[in-house]
Amino acid sequence: QVQLVQSGGGVVQPGGSLRLSCAASGFSLNTFGMHWVRQAPGKALEWVAVFWSDGNHIDHAVSVQGRFSVSRDTSKNTLYLQMNSLRVEDAAVYYCARDSVPVWSYVGTFDIWGQGTIVTVSS
Amino acid sequence: VVLTQSPATLSLSPGERATLSCRAGQNVNNFLAWYQQKPGQAPRLLIYDASNRATGIPARFSGSGSGTDFTLTISSLEPEDFAVYYCQHRVGGPIFGPGTKVDLK
């Protein structure tokens, strides 16, 4: 069964760090680009970053550039989002999502989603 | 490229036809997708590349359009279709629209 199971998240103070995990099953992370998408309370979806399937490229939204990084562990088939220098405006539900086409980069359509994990940034 | 969606809210009854609009600020060709999101759930891909239904999506959902104007049509609303719908393009980076809420009249 193709699925993404997320873990991590929680409450952190402004300026703090947090790491989110996204464990994939039913497919290999080596084959698909993998994205992080977030949704602030009551707001629309916002794309955060993508890890290309070739393993050599990462693209970030301007809002998180220099603070967030994406990595993967192919032995665990798990994707990570390391979030540093967190701001109040980073508070959201964070989703990992699979790119819809198995290409070496990514297409930018999301066909499989994790269940989401809540990040709260508050003093 | 900014996306705008209209209306913000659409109040309809089961069995009625729903027509949702998405407009792009610039030409996005047919690189547009539609997602459905219910409260407390992750989004679900409905339509990709403007008019292709994703796997397992019922035939009552259809997408059309190209360039800057796109439409998602639900031919006859089922009770489970009341949700928020987002359009999303993938030109120069994925961008989502603000959403249209389809609620019960």
Side-chain angles (χ1 to χ4, degrees):
Chain A
Q1 181 184 4
V2 174
Q3 64 175 356
L4 299 169
V5 177
Q6 297 182 229
S7 59
V11 182
V12 63
Q13 292 186 341
S17 297
L18 211 54
R19 189 178 81 158
L20 308 182
S21 300
C22 172
S25 58
F27 71 98
S28 171
L29 292 186
N30 287 335
T31 310
F32 292 85
M34 292 296 297
H35 302 262
W36 289 96
V37 176
R38 68 184 180 183
Q39 187 171 36
K43 301 296 185 182
L45 300 160
E46 179 189 13
W47 175 78
V48 172
V50 59
F51 193 97
W52 292 28
S53 65
D54 71 352
N56 293 323
H57 298 84
I58 302 167
D59 292 327
H60 299 87
V62 171
S63 58
V64 305
Q65 195 116 30
R67 300 186 300 121
F68 290 14
S69 63
V70 187
S71 61
R72 75 182 181 194
D73 183 335
T74 53
S75 68
K76 297 180 179 179
N77 213 29
T78 298
L79 182 77
Y80 302 99
L81 179 66
Q82 177 67 43
M83 303 183 292
N84 299 326
S85 303
L86 279 160
R87 304 168 179 168
V88 171
E89 55 266 33
D90 293 321
V93 176
Y94 283 73
Y95 297 99
C96 61
R98 189 182 81 168
D99 201 74
S100 62
V101 180
V103 296
W104 62 277
S105 55
Y106 68 97
V107 168
T109 303
F110 318 109
D111 66 342
I112 306 294
W113 294 68
Q115 83 277 18
T117 187
I118 299 173
V119 172
T120 302
V121 184
S122 173
S123 54
Chain B
V1 180
V2 175
L3 294 174
T4 56
Q5 292 187 242
S6 61
T9 303
L10 193 54
S11 297
L12 295 168
S13 300
E16 290 193 292
R17 183 184 189 89
T19 303
L20 288 67
S21 174
C22 177
R23 177 163 290 179
Q26 298 175 37
N27 182 7
V28 297
N29 296 299
N30 68 332
F31 300 144
L32 190 105
W34 291 92
Y35 300 84
Q36 176 194 68
Q37 188 180 32
K38 298 179 181 178
Q41 296 185 18
R44 177 174 72 145
L45 177 65
L46 299 174
I47 301 288
Y48 65 94
D49 292 348
S51 60
N52 298 287
R53 270 190 305 277
T55 302
I57 301 303
R60 63 180 182 273
F61 292 93
S62 64
S64 63
S66 66
T68 59
D69 290 300
F70 301 87
T71 301
L72 174 70
T73 302
I74 310 171
S75 59
S76 178
L77 281 164
E78 297 288 339
E80 62 268 26
D81 297 337
F82 292 93
V84 178
Y85 292 83
Y86 293 98
C87 60
Q88 175 248 324
H89 77 71
R90 53 186 180 90
V91 175
I95 296 292
F96 291 89
T100 290
K101 183 178 182 180
V102 178
D103 66 11
L104 196 58
K105 184 191 290 183

